[in-house]
Amino acid sequence: RLALQTSRSLRTQQRCFGTTAPSLRKILVALDSTPGSELAFKRASSIADKHDFLLLFTCAPPIHSEFAKIVMDFDKIDNTVQDAFIQEMQEHSTAIANAVKAKFNPMTDSLKCSFDWVEGCSSNGPRGEIVRMAEEENVDLVVLGSHGHDSTLERVMLGSTADYVVHHVHCDVMICKKPRKKE
C-alpha cells in the first residue's frame, strides 16, 4: 500500500512540476510519540533516496516559566524552587525526546539515505521549533503527522501544529494523515 501511495506521489509531482520534479536533498521529519509520526517517518523514508538526507527531529513540549505561572504564582516562589522546577521540566523534556528516539531508532536500520537526530525545545512549542529548524537547516521538505483532532473544540483549544507549519515554513510540507477507520 505504501509503494502505491509513493508511486501516486511521484505521478502527482510529475503532473505538478513536469518530468523533472524538484529534487529533495534535505527532509525534516517531525517526530513525537503519536501514530501520525510513525506514518510520517514511513512516508519520508519511502521518498528519500541515497542522495537525500533526513533530519529526524524531536521536540518536547515547551519549557517555560509561563507554564509555571499558570500553575502557581511563580514570582513569589524562592529562586531555588524555581530553578528546581525548571530543571525538572527540562529532565522531563529530555526523557520524552529519548523515548521518541528509542521508538524510532530500530526503524532507522532500513533507511537507504543518511540521517541525523536533532532536538528542539522552546517556549514556542513543537510547531515553532519545527518552523525554526526548517529555516535554520534550509530543508526542502517538512514531513509531519496529523493528530487528526476529532472535534472542532479540540482544534480550537489545542490548535493545529500542521496548520501552523504549513503557513509559516518556507518550504513544501507533507502532512501524513492516519487512515480513517472503516465503519
Side-chain angles (χ1 to χ4, degrees):
R1 183 174 179 199
L2 189 58
L4 177 62
Q5 289 170 334
T6 302
S7 69
R8 276 192 209 142
S9 273
L10 292 174
R11 284 196 305 268
T12 303
Q13 262 190 359
Q14 288 172 343
R15 245 182 292 144
C16 294
F17 303 112
T19 53
T20 56
S23 62
L24 302 173
R25 293 292 169 236
K26 199 179 236 187
I27 302 170
L28 176 68
V29 188
L31 301 173
D32 59 18
S33 59
T34 62
S37 283
E38 202 166 318
L39 185 57
F41 179 86
K42 289 176 182 173
R43 294 261 171 88
S45 60
S46 73
I47 62 171
D49 66 23
K50 64 182 178 186
H51 303 292
D52 295 326
F53 186 80
L54 289 183
L55 276 174
L56 305 176
F57 179 65
T58 64
C59 186
I63 301 171
H64 201 269
S65 60
E66 293 300 317
F67 173 74
K69 288 179 182 178
I70 294 169
V71 178
M72 60 189 119
D73 193 354
F74 207 62
D75 295 328
K76 293 182 182 176
I77 296 176
D78 183 87
N79 283 346
T80 39
V81 175
Q82 287 181 19
D83 292 343
F85 178 80
I86 291 170
Q87 177 67 30
E88 187 172 328
M89 291 296 292
Q90 288 172 332
E91 289 170 5
H92 179 69
S93 294
T94 300
I96 291 171
N98 289 338
V100 170
K101 286 180 185 179
K103 176 182 177 178
F104 287 96
N105 262 332
M107 295 182 210
T108 60
D109 294 338
S110 63
L111 288 176
K112 296 177 181 137
C113 61
S114 301
F115 72 94
D116 194 13
W117 285 100
V118 288
E119 291 180 34
C121 190
S122 77
S123 59
N124 296 329
R127 63 193 199 167
E129 278 297 290
I130 293 167
V131 171
R132 184 189 67 76
M133 187 60 66
E135 299 289 332
E136 187 177 293
E137 293 291 336
N138 197 29
V139 301
D140 302 305
L141 176 68
V142 173
V143 182
L144 68 157
S146 170
H147 291 277
H149 299 301
D150 294 326
S151 71
T152 304
L153 181 60
E154 281 181 316
R155 281 190 298 278
V156 170
M157 296 301 288
L158 299 174
S160 169
T161 299
D163 184 59
Y164 183 88
V165 170
V166 164
H167 288 95
H168 290 87
V169 78
H170 73 281
C171 61
D172 292 332
V173 177
M174 176 187 284
I175 301 168
C176 303
K177 295 179 73 168
K178 61 185 177 187
R180 291 188 185 259
K181 294 179 182 175
K182 295 181 181 178
E183 296 179 22

